[in-house]
């Protein structure tokens, strides 16, 4: 393992993904399931998705926003 690889593994997770462990713990679903759920609504805008996750699935605002932001950014890279 190179020094760069080791440093990357030890670096703290930043951005929306930093919420993922607490999302999985609090809501009992893996992140992949939340992302798949978000992707069922491809025409919805960011804040529409956040509101939907809050209203229909009981997520807090920060958790919903982190999931939506990460998922949309990931899809944009494809």
């Amino acid at each position: 393992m190179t020094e760069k690889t080791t440093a990357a593994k030890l670096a703290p997770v930043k951005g929306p993904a930093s919420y993922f462990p607490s999302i999985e713990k609090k809501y009992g679903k893996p992140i992949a399931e939340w992302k798949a759920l978000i992707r069922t609504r491809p025409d919805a805008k960011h804040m529409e998705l956040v509101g939907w996750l809050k209203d229909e699935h009981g997520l807090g605002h920060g958790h919903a926003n982190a999931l939506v932001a990460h998922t949309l950014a990931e899809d944009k890279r494809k």
Side-chain angles (χ1 to χ4, degrees), residues 13-21 23 31 62-63 65-71 73:
V13 176
K14 296 180 181 179
S18 67
Y19 286 87
F20 289 177
I23 291 170
I31 296 305
H63 288 161
N65 190 57
L67 282 167
V68 171
H70 197 274
T71 304

Side-chain angles (χ1 to χ4, degrees), residues 12-67:
V13 176
K14 296 180 181 179
S18 67
Y19 286 87
F20 289 177
S22 60
I23 291 170
E24 289 181 331
K25 184 177 179 181
K26 184 168 184 170
Y27 304 106
K29 287 184 186 180
I31 296 305
E33 281 188 39
W34 289 113
K35 288 182 173 189
L37 193 61
I38 290 165
R39 289 181 176 121
T40 65
R41 303 189 59 173
D43 296 328
K45 295 188 185 303
H46 181 105
M47 289 310 295
E48 292 171 334
L49 291 165
V50 170
W52 173 67
L53 288 172
K54 290 168 60 176
D55 295 343
E56 298 296 322
H57 299 281
L59 272 73
H61 182 82
H63 288 161
N65 190 57
L67 282 167

